[in-house]
Coordinates of all heavy atoms in Angstrom, one line a residue:
T1 N -0.1 -4.7 20.0 CA -0.9 -4.6 18.8 C -0.4 -5.7 17.9 O 0.7 -6.0 17.7 CB -0.7 -3.3 18.1 OG1 -1.0 -2.2 19.0 CG2 -1.7 -3.1 17.0
D2 N -1.4 -6.4 17.3 CA -1.0 -7.5 16.4 C -0.6 -7.0 15.0 O -0.8 -5.9 14.7 CB -2.1 -8.6 16.3 CG -3.4 -8.0 15.6 OD1 -3.5 -6.8 15.5 OD2 -4.2 -8.8 15.2
A3 N -0.1 -7.9 14.2 CA 0.5 -7.5 12.9 C -0.6 -7.0 12.0 O -0.4 -6.0 11.3 CB 1.2 -8.7 12.3
A4 N -1.8 -7.5 12.0 CA -2.9 -7.1 11.1 C -3.3 -5.6 11.5 O -3.5 -4.8 10.6 CB -4.1 -8.0 11.2
A5 N -3.3 -5.3 12.7 CA -3.7 -4.0 13.2 C -2.6 -3.0 12.8 O -2.9 -1.9 12.4 CB -4.0 -3.9 14.7
Q6 N -1.3 -3.4 12.9 CA -0.2 -2.5 12.6 C -0.2 -2.2 11.1 O 0.0 -1.1 10.6 CB 1.1 -3.2 12.9 CG 1.3 -3.1 14.4 CD 2.7 -3.8 14.8 OE1 3.2 -4.7 14.1 NE2 3.2 -3.4 15.9
K7 N -0.5 -3.3 10.2 CA -0.6 -3.1 8.8 C -1.7 -2.1 8.5 O -1.6 -1.2 7.6 CB -0.9 -4.4 8.1 CG 0.3 -5.3 8.0 CD 0.0 -6.6 7.3 CE 1.1 -7.6 7.4 NZ 0.7 -8.8 6.7
A8 N -2.9 -2.2 9.1 CA -4.0 -1.4 8.9 C -3.7 0.1 9.3 O -4.0 1.0 8.6 CB -5.3 -1.9 9.6
D9 N -3.0 0.2 10.4 CA -2.6 1.6 10.9 C -1.7 2.2 9.9 O -1.8 3.4 9.6 CB -2.0 1.5 12.3 CG -3.0 1.2 13.4 OD1 -4.2 1.3 13.2 OD2 -2.5 0.9 14.5
L10 N -0.7 1.5 9.4 CA 0.3 2.0 8.5 C -0.4 2.4 7.2 O -0.2 3.5 6.6 CB 1.4 1.0 8.2 CG 2.5 1.4 7.3 CD1 3.2 2.7 7.9 CD2 3.5 0.3 7.1
A11 N -1.4 1.6 6.7 CA -2.1 1.9 5.5 C -2.9 3.1 5.6 O -3.0 4.0 4.8 CB -2.9 0.7 5.0
T12 N -3.6 3.3 6.8 CA -4.4 4.5 7.1 C -3.5 5.7 7.1 O -3.9 6.7 6.5 CB -5.1 4.3 8.4 OG1 -6.0 3.2 8.3 CG2 -6.0 5.5 8.8
A13 N -2.4 5.6 7.8 CA -1.4 6.7 7.8 C -0.9 7.1 6.4 O -0.8 8.3 6.1 CB -0.3 6.4 8.8
A14 N -0.7 6.1 5.6 CA -0.2 6.3 4.2 C -1.3 7.1 3.5 O -1.0 8.0 2.7 CB 0.1 5.0 3.6
W15 N -2.5 6.7 3.6 CA -3.6 7.4 2.9 C -3.7 8.8 3.4 O -3.8 9.7 2.6 CB -5.0 6.7 3.1 CG -6.1 7.5 2.7 CD1 -7.0 8.1 3.5 CD2 -6.4 8.0 1.4 NE1 -7.9 8.9 2.8 CE2 -7.5 8.9 1.5 CE3 -5.8 7.8 0.2 CZ2 -8.1 9.5 0.4 CZ3 -6.3 8.5 -0.9 CH2 -7.5 9.3 -0.8
R16 N -3.7 9.1 4.7 CA -3.7 10.4 5.2 C -2.6 11.3 4.6 O -2.8 12.4 4.2 CB -3.7 10.4 6.7 CG -5.0 9.9 7.3 CD -4.9 9.9 8.8 NE -6.1 9.3 9.4 CZ -6.1 8.7 10.6 NH1 -5.0 8.7 11.3 NH2 -7.2 8.2 11.0
L17 N -1.4 10.7 4.6 CA -0.2 11.4 4.1 C -0.4 11.7 2.6 O -0.1 12.8 2.1 CB 1.0 10.6 4.4 CG 2.4 11.2 4.1 CD1 2.6 12.5 4.9 CD2 3.5 10.3 4.3
F18 N -0.8 10.7 1.9 CA -1.0 10.8 0.4 C -2.0 11.9 0.1 O -1.8 12.7 -0.8 CB -1.4 9.5 -0.1 CG -1.4 9.4 -1.6 CD1 -0.2 9.2 -2.3 CD2 -2.6 9.5 -2.4 CE1 -0.2 9.1 -3.7 CE2 -2.6 9.4 -3.7 CZ -1.4 9.2 -4.4
A19 N -3.1 11.9 0.8 CA -4.2 12.9 0.6 C -3.7 14.3 1.0 O -4.0 15.3 0.4 CB -5.4 12.5 1.4
A20 N -3.0 14.4 2.1 CA -2.5 15.7 2.6 C -1.5 16.3 1.7 O -1.4 17.5 1.5 CB -1.9 15.6 4.0
R21 N -0.7 15.4 1.0 CA 0.4 15.9 0.2 C -0.2 16.7 -1.0 O 0.5 17.7 -1.5 CB 1.2 14.8 -0.4 CG 2.4 15.2 -1.1 CD 3.3 14.1 -1.6 NE 3.3 13.0 -0.8 CZ 3.6 11.7 -1.2 NH1 3.9 11.5 -2.4 NH2 3.6 10.8 -0.3
A22 N -1.3 16.4 -1.5 CA -1.9 17.1 -2.6 C -2.1 18.6 -2.3 O -1.8 19.5 -3.1 CB -3.2 16.5 -3.0
G23 N -2.5 18.9 -1.1 CA -2.8 20.3 -0.7 C -1.6 21.0 0.0 O -1.3 22.2 -0.3
S24 N -0.9 20.3 0.8 CA 0.1 20.9 1.7 C 1.5 20.5 1.3 O 2.5 21.2 1.8 CB -0.2 20.5 3.1 OG 0.1 19.2 3.3
G25 N 1.7 19.5 0.6 CA 3.1 19.0 0.3 C 3.7 18.2 1.4 O 4.9 17.9 1.4
R26 N 2.9 17.9 2.5 CA 3.4 17.2 3.6 C 3.8 15.8 3.2 O 3.2 15.1 2.5 CB 2.2 17.1 4.6 CG 2.6 16.4 5.9 CD 1.5 16.4 6.9 NE 1.8 15.5 8.0 CZ 1.1 14.4 8.3 NH1 0.1 14.1 7.7 NH2 1.5 13.7 9.3
R27 N 5.0 15.4 3.7 CA 5.6 14.1 3.4 C 6.0 13.3 4.6 O 6.4 12.2 4.4 CB 6.8 14.3 2.5 CG 6.6 15.1 1.2 CD 7.8 15.2 0.4 NE 8.3 13.9 0.0 CZ 7.8 13.2 -1.1 NH1 6.9 13.7 -1.9 NH2 8.3 12.0 -1.4
H28 N 5.8 13.8 5.8 CA 6.4 13.1 7.0 C 5.3 12.5 7.8 O 4.2 13.1 8.0 CB 7.2 14.1 7.8 CG 8.4 14.6 7.1 ND1 9.2 15.6 7.6 CD2 9.0 14.2 6.0 CE1 10.2 15.8 6.8 NE2 10.1 15.0 5.8
L29 N 5.6 11.3 8.3 CA 4.7 10.6 9.3 C 5.1 11.1 10.7 O 6.3 11.0 11.0 CB 4.9 9.1 9.2 CG 4.4 8.5 7.9 CD1 4.9 7.1 7.7 CD2 2.8 8.5 7.9
L30 N 4.2 11.5 11.5 CA 4.5 11.9 12.9 C 3.9 10.8 13.8 O 2.6 10.7 13.8 CB 3.9 13.2 13.1 CG 4.4 14.4 12.2 CD1 3.6 15.6 12.4 CD2 5.9 14.6 12.5
P31 N 4.7 10.1 14.5 CA 4.1 9.0 15.4 C 3.0 9.5 16.3 O 2.1 8.7 16.5 CB 5.4 8.5 16.2 CG 6.5 9.0 15.4 CD 6.1 10.2 14.7
A32 N 3.1 10.6 16.8 CA 2.1 11.1 17.8 C 0.8 11.4 17.2 O -0.3 11.3 17.8 CB 2.6 12.4 18.5
S33 N 0.7 11.8 15.9 CA -0.5 12.2 15.3 C -1.0 11.3 14.1 O -2.1 11.5 13.6 CB -0.4 13.6 14.8 OG 0.6 13.8 13.9
D34 N -0.2 10.4 13.6 CA -0.6 9.6 12.4 C -1.0 8.2 12.7 O -1.0 7.3 11.9 CB 0.6 9.6 11.4 CG 0.6 11.0 10.7 OD1 -0.5 11.5 10.3 OD2 1.7 11.4 10.4
S35 N -1.3 7.9 14.0 CA -1.8 6.5 14.4 C -0.8 5.4 14.1 O -1.3 4.2 14.1 CB -3.2 6.3 13.8 OG -3.1 6.0 12.5
V36 N 0.4 5.6 13.9 CA 1.4 4.6 13.8 C 2.4 4.7 14.9 O 2.9 5.8 15.1 CB 2.2 4.7 12.4 CG1 3.2 3.6 12.2 CG2 1.2 4.7 11.2
S37 N 2.7 3.6 15.6 CA 3.5 3.7 16.8 C 5.0 4.0 16.3 O 5.4 3.6 15.3 CB 3.5 2.4 17.6 OG 4.1 1.4 16.9
E38 N 5.7 4.7 17.2 CA 7.1 5.0 16.9 C 7.9 3.8 16.9 O 8.8 3.6 16.0 CB 7.6 6.0 18.0 CG 9.0 6.5 17.6 CD 9.4 7.7 18.4 OE1 8.7 8.2 19.3 OE2 10.6 8.1 18.2
P39 N 7.7 2.8 17.8 CA 8.5 1.5 17.6 C 8.3 0.8 16.3 O 9.3 0.3 15.7 CB 8.0 0.6 18.8 CG 7.5 1.6 19.8 CD 6.9 2.8 19.0
L40 N 7.1 0.8 15.7 CA 6.9 0.2 14.4 C 7.6 1.0 13.3 O 8.3 0.4 12.5 CB 5.4 0.2 14.1 CG 5.0 -0.3 12.7 CD1 5.5 -1.7 12.4 CD2 3.5 -0.2 12.4
L41 N 7.5 2.3 13.4 CA 8.2 3.2 12.4 C 9.7 3.0 12.5 O 10.4 2.9 11.5 CB 7.8 4.6 12.5 CG 6.4 5.0 12.1 CD1 6.1 6.4 12.5 CD2 6.2 4.8 10.6
K42 N 10.2 2.9 13.7 CA 11.7 2.6 13.9 C 12.1 1.3 13.3 O 13.1 1.1 12.7 CB 12.1 2.8 15.3 CG 12.2 4.2 15.8 CD 12.7 4.4 17.2 CE 12.8 5.8 17.5 NZ 13.4 6.0 18.8
A43 N 11.2 0.3 13.5 CA 11.5 -1.1 13.0 C 11.5 -1.0 11.4 O 12.4 -1.6 10.8 CB 10.5 -2.1 13.5
L44 N 10.6 -0.3 10.9 CA 10.5 -0.2 9.4 C 11.7 0.6 8.8 O 12.1 0.3 7.7 CB 9.2 0.4 9.0 CG 7.9 -0.4 9.2 CD1 6.7 0.4 8.9 CD2 7.9 -1.7 8.5
A45 N 12.2 1.5 9.6 CA 13.3 2.3 9.2 C 14.6 1.6 9.3 O 15.6 1.9 8.6 CB 13.4 3.6 10.0
S46 N 14.7 0.5 10.1 CA 15.9 -0.2 10.3 C 15.9 -1.6 9.7 O 16.9 -2.3 9.8 CB 16.3 -0.3 11.8 OG 15.3 -1.1 12.4
S47 N 14.8 -2.0 9.0 CA 14.8 -3.3 8.4 C 15.7 -3.4 7.2 O 15.7 -2.5 6.4 CB 13.3 -3.7 8.1 OG 12.8 -2.8 7.1
E48 N 16.5 -4.4 7.2 CA 17.4 -4.6 6.0 C 17.0 -5.9 5.3 O 16.6 -6.8 5.9 CB 18.8 -4.7 6.5 CG 19.4 -3.4 7.1 CD 19.5 -2.3 6.1 OE1 19.6 -2.5 4.9 OE2 19.5 -1.1 6.5
P49 N 17.2 -6.0 4.0 CA 17.8 -5.0 3.1 C 16.8 -4.0 2.6 O 17.2 -3.1 1.9 CB 18.3 -5.9 2.0 CG 17.3 -7.0 1.9 CD 16.8 -7.2 3.3
T50 N 15.5 -4.1 2.9 CA 14.5 -3.2 2.4 C 13.9 -2.3 3.5 O 13.2 -2.9 4.4 CB 13.4 -3.9 1.7 OG1 14.0 -4.8 0.7 CG2 12.5 -3.0 1.0
R51 N 14.2 -1.0 3.5 CA 13.5 -0.1 4.4 C 12.3 0.5 3.8 O 12.4 0.9 2.6 CB 14.5 1.0 4.8 CG 15.7 0.5 5.6 CD 16.6 1.6 6.0 NE 16.9 2.5 4.9 CZ 17.1 3.8 5.0 NH1 17.1 4.4 6.1 NH2 17.4 4.5 3.9
L52 N 11.2 0.5 4.5 CA 10.0 1.2 3.9 C 10.0 2.6 4.2 O 9.4 3.4 3.5 CB 8.7 0.5 4.5 CG 8.5 -1.0 4.2 CD1 7.3 -1.5 4.8 CD2 8.5 -1.2 2.7
V53 N 10.5 3.0 5.4 CA 10.5 4.4 5.8 C 11.9 4.8 6.2 O 12.7 3.9 6.5 CB 9.5 4.7 6.9 CG1 8.1 4.5 6.5 CG2 9.9 4.0 8.2
R54 N 12.2 6.1 6.3 CA 13.5 6.6 6.9 C 13.1 7.6 7.9 O 12.2 8.3 7.8 CB 14.4 7.1 5.8 CG 13.9 8.3 5.1 CD 14.9 8.8 4.0 NE 14.2 9.5 3.0 CZ 14.2 9.2 1.7 NH1 14.9 8.2 1.3 NH2 13.5 9.8 0.8
Q55 N 14.0 7.7 8.9 CA 13.8 8.7 9.9 C 14.4 10.0 9.4 O 15.4 10.1 8.8 CB 14.5 8.3 11.2 CG 14.1 9.2 12.4 CD 14.3 8.5 13.7 OE1 14.9 7.4 13.8 NE2 13.8 9.2 14.8
A56 N 13.6 11.1 9.6 CA 14.0 12.5 9.2 C 13.7 13.4 10.4 O 12.7 13.9 10.6 CB 13.2 12.9 8.0
G57 N 14.7 13.5 11.3 CA 14.6 14.2 12.5 C 13.6 13.5 13.4 O 13.8 12.3 13.7
G58 N 12.6 14.2 13.9 CA 11.6 13.5 14.8 C 10.4 12.9 14.1 O 9.5 12.4 14.7
S59 N 10.5 12.8 12.7 CA 9.4 12.3 11.9 C 10.0 11.2 11.0 O 11.2 10.9 11.0 CB 8.7 13.3 11.1 OG 9.6 13.9 10.2
F60 N 9.1 10.6 10.3 CA 9.5 9.5 9.3 C 8.9 9.8 8.0 O 7.9 10.5 7.9 CB 9.1 8.2 9.8 CG 9.7 7.7 11.1 CD1 9.2 8.2 12.3 CD2 10.8 6.9 11.1 CE1 9.7 7.8 13.5 CE2 11.3 6.5 12.3 CZ 10.8 7.0 13.5
E61 N 9.5 9.3 6.9 CA 8.9 9.5 5.6 C 9.1 8.2 4.8 O 10.1 7.4 5.1 CB 9.6 10.7 4.8 CG 11.0 10.6 4.6 CD 11.6 11.8 3.9 OE1 10.9 12.8 3.8 OE2 12.8 11.7 3.5
F62 N 8.2 7.9 3.9 CA 8.4 6.8 3.0 C 9.6 6.9 2.2 O 9.8 8.0 1.6 CB 7.1 6.5 2.2 CG 6.0 6.0 2.9 CD1 5.0 6.8 3.4 CD2 5.9 4.6 3.2 CE1 3.9 6.3 4.1 CE2 4.9 4.1 4.0 CZ 3.8 5.0 4.4
V63 N 10.4 5.8 2.0 CA 11.6 5.9 1.2 C 11.2 6.1 -0.3 O 11.8 6.8 -1.0 CB 12.4 4.6 1.3 CG1 13.5 4.5 0.4 CG2 12.9 4.5 2.8
H64 N 10.0 5.5 -0.7 CA 9.6 5.6 -2.1 C 8.1 6.1 -2.1 O 7.3 5.6 -1.4 CB 9.7 4.3 -2.8 CG 11.1 3.7 -2.9 ND1 12.0 4.3 -3.7 CD2 11.7 2.7 -2.2 CE1 13.2 3.6 -3.5 NE2 13.0 2.7 -2.6
D65 N 7.8 7.0 -3.0 CA 6.5 7.5 -3.1 C 5.5 6.4 -3.6 O 4.3 6.4 -3.2 CB 6.4 8.7 -4.1 CG 7.0 9.9 -3.6 OD1 7.1 10.1 -2.3 OD2 7.3 10.8 -4.4
Q66 N 6.0 5.4 -4.3 CA 5.2 4.3 -4.8 C 4.7 3.5 -3.6 O 3.6 3.0 -3.7 CB 6.0 3.4 -5.8 CG 6.1 4.0 -7.2 CD 6.8 3.1 -8.1 OE1 7.7 2.4 -7.8 NE2 6.3 3.1 -9.4
M67 N 5.5 3.3 -2.6 CA 5.1 2.5 -1.4 C 4.0 3.3 -0.7 O 3.0 2.7 -0.3 CB 6.3 2.2 -0.5 CG 5.9 1.4 0.7 SD 5.0 -0.2 0.4 CE 6.4 -1.1 -0.3
N68 N 4.2 4.6 -0.6 CA 3.1 5.4 0.0 C 1.8 5.3 -0.8 O 0.8 5.0 -0.2 CB 3.6 6.9 0.1 CG 2.7 7.8 0.8 OD1 3.0 8.9 1.0 ND2 1.5 7.3 1.3
A69 N 1.9 5.3 -2.1 CA 0.7 5.2 -2.9 C 0.1 3.8 -2.8 O -1.1 3.7 -2.8 CB 1.1 5.5 -4.4
Y70 N 0.9 2.8 -2.8 CA 0.4 1.4 -2.7 C -0.3 1.2 -1.4 O -1.5 0.7 -1.3 CB 1.6 0.4 -2.8 CG 1.1 -1.0 -2.3 CD1 0.4 -1.8 -3.1 CD2 1.5 -1.4 -1.1 CE1 -0.1 -3.0 -2.7 CE2 1.0 -2.7 -0.6 CZ 0.3 -3.5 -1.5 OH -0.1 -4.7 -1.0
L71 N 0.3 1.7 -0.3 CA -0.4 1.5 1.0 C -1.7 2.4 1.1 O -2.6 2.0 1.7 CB 0.6 1.8 2.2 CG 1.7 0.8 2.4 CD1 2.7 1.3 3.3 CD2 1.1 -0.5 2.9
A72 N -1.6 3.6 0.5 CA -2.8 4.4 0.5 C -4.0 3.7 -0.3 O -5.1 3.7 0.2 CB -2.5 5.8 -0.1
A73 N -3.6 3.1 -1.4 CA -4.6 2.4 -2.2 C -5.1 1.2 -1.4 O -6.3 0.8 -1.5 CB -4.0 1.9 -3.5
R74 N -4.2 0.5 -0.7 CA -4.7 -0.6 0.1 C -5.7 -0.2 1.2 O -6.7 -0.9 1.4 CB -3.4 -1.3 0.8 CG -3.7 -2.4 1.6 CD -2.4 -2.9 2.3 NE -2.7 -3.7 3.4 CZ -2.6 -5.1 3.4 NH1 -2.2 -5.7 2.3 NH2 -2.9 -5.7 4.5
H75 N -5.4 0.9 1.8 CA -6.4 1.5 2.7 C -7.7 1.7 2.1 O -8.8 1.3 2.6 CB -5.9 2.8 3.4 CG -6.9 3.5 4.1 ND1 -7.3 3.1 5.4 CD2 -7.6 4.6 3.8 CE1 -8.2 3.9 5.8 NE2 -8.4 4.8 4.9
L76 N -7.7 2.3 0.9 CA -9.0 2.6 0.2 C -9.7 1.3 -0.2 O -10.9 1.3 0.0 CB -8.8 3.5 -1.0 CG -8.5 5.0 -0.7 CD1 -8.2 5.7 -2.1 CD2 -9.6 5.6 0.0
A77 N -9.0 0.4 -0.6 CA -9.6 -0.9 -1.1 C -10.3 -1.6 0.1 O -11.3 -2.3 -0.1 CB -8.6 -1.8 -1.8
R78 N -9.7 -1.5 1.3 CA -10.3 -2.2 2.4 C -11.3 -1.4 3.2 O -11.8 -1.8 4.2 CB -9.1 -2.6 3.3 CG -8.3 -3.7 2.6 CD -7.1 -4.1 3.5 NE -6.3 -5.1 2.8 CZ -6.3 -6.4 3.2 NH1 -7.0 -6.8 4.2 NH2 -5.6 -7.2 2.5
S79 N -11.4 -0.1 2.8 CA -12.4 0.8 3.6 C -13.7 0.8 2.9 O -13.9 0.3 1.8 CB -11.8 2.2 3.7 OG -11.8 2.8 2.5
D80 N -14.7 1.5 3.5 CA -16.0 1.7 2.9 C -15.9 2.5 1.6 O -16.7 2.4 0.7 CB -16.9 2.3 3.9 CG -17.4 1.3 5.0 OD1 -17.2 0.1 4.7 OD2 -17.8 1.8 6.0
L81 N -14.8 3.4 1.5 CA -14.6 4.2 0.3 C -14.4 3.4 -0.9 O -14.7 3.8 -2.0 CB -13.5 5.2 0.6 CG -13.7 6.2 1.7 CD1 -12.4 7.0 1.9 CD2 -14.8 7.1 1.3
G82 N -13.8 2.2 -0.7 CA -13.4 1.4 -1.9 C -14.5 0.4 -2.3 O -14.4 -0.3 -3.3
K83 N -15.7 0.4 -1.6 CA -16.8 -0.5 -1.9 C -17.8 0.2 -2.8 O -18.2 1.3 -2.5 CB -17.4 -1.0 -0.6 CG -16.4 -1.9 0.2 CD -17.1 -2.4 1.4 CE -16.2 -3.4 2.1 NZ -15.5 -2.9 3.2
R84 N -18.2 -0.5 -3.8 CA -19.3 0.1 -4.6 C -20.6 -0.1 -4.0 O -20.9 -1.2 -3.3 CB -19.3 -0.6 -6.0 CG -18.1 -0.4 -6.8 CD -18.2 -1.0 -8.1 NE -17.0 -0.7 -8.9 CZ -16.9 -1.0 -10.2 NH1 -17.9 -1.6 -10.8 NH2 -15.8 -0.6 -10.8
P85 N -21.5 0.8 -4.2 CA -22.9 0.6 -3.6 C -23.6 -0.6 -4.3 O -23.3 -0.9 -5.5 CB -23.6 1.9 -3.9 CG -22.7 2.6 -4.9 CD -21.4 2.1 -4.8
A86 N -24.4 -1.2 -3.6 CA -25.2 -2.3 -4.2 C -26.0 -1.8 -5.4 O -26.5 -0.7 -5.4 CB -26.1 -3.0 -3.2
N87 N -26.1 -2.7 -6.4 CA -26.9 -2.3 -7.6 C -28.4 -2.4 -7.3 O -28.9 -3.5 -7.1 CB -26.5 -3.2 -8.8 CG -27.0 -2.8 -10.1 OD1 -27.7 -1.7 -10.2 ND2 -26.9 -3.6 -11.1
P88 N -29.1 -1.3 -7.3 CA -30.5 -1.4 -7.0 C -31.2 -2.0 -8.1 O -31.0 -1.7 -9.3 CB -30.9 0.1 -6.8 CG -29.9 0.9 -7.5 CD -28.6 0.1 -7.5
S89 N -32.1 -3.0 -7.8 CA -32.9 -3.7 -8.9 C -34.3 -3.3 -8.8 O -34.9 -3.1 -7.8 CB -32.8 -5.2 -8.7 OG -31.4 -5.6 -8.7

């Protein structure tokens, strides 16, 4: 998978996690169900000096809620949800 696709997958997973947290309090990314590969999450967890996620047992979580919110907003801005309808004339 190329870097652009990995960024998009991470942003989509961030949005799902951000939206789910409101109702369930869920905070963990699960590689099998959140469309982000485990190798990518492990790389993000071990990158120094700035880690984006940390491993928590068999799942991962964002180190900072702000990063989760930023990536969720990025997903929305790039999706159809972030586009305004055309102004009918």
Side-chain angles (χ1 to χ4, degrees):
T1 308
D2 66 343
Q6 288 179 332
K7 287 179 186 178
D9 288 347
L10 185 60
T12 299
W15 166 247
R16 289 180 185 152
L17 185 62
F18 190 80
R21 189 178 323 155
S24 70
R26 180 175 171 244
R27 301 184 61 86
H28 295 170
L29 293 165
L30 302 170
S33 62
D34 284 320
S35 74
V36 181
S37 71
E38 188 167 359
L40 175 60
L41 289 170
K42 284 185 176 184
L44 293 172
S46 64
S47 63
E48 293 295 336
T50 306
R51 293 181 311 148
L52 296 181
V53 299
R54 66 178 152 238
Q55 193 159 5
S59 64
F60 296 82
E61 62 185 9
F62 285 99
V63 174
H64 300 287
D65 288 339
Q66 284 182 324
M67 181 54 71
N68 186 177
Y70 166 77
L71 289 169
R74 180 183 162 103
H75 168 75
L76 284 178
R78 294 176 179 255
S79 72
D80 288 341
L81 295 173
K83 295 184 173 97
R84 292 182 178 192
N87 188 6
S89 305

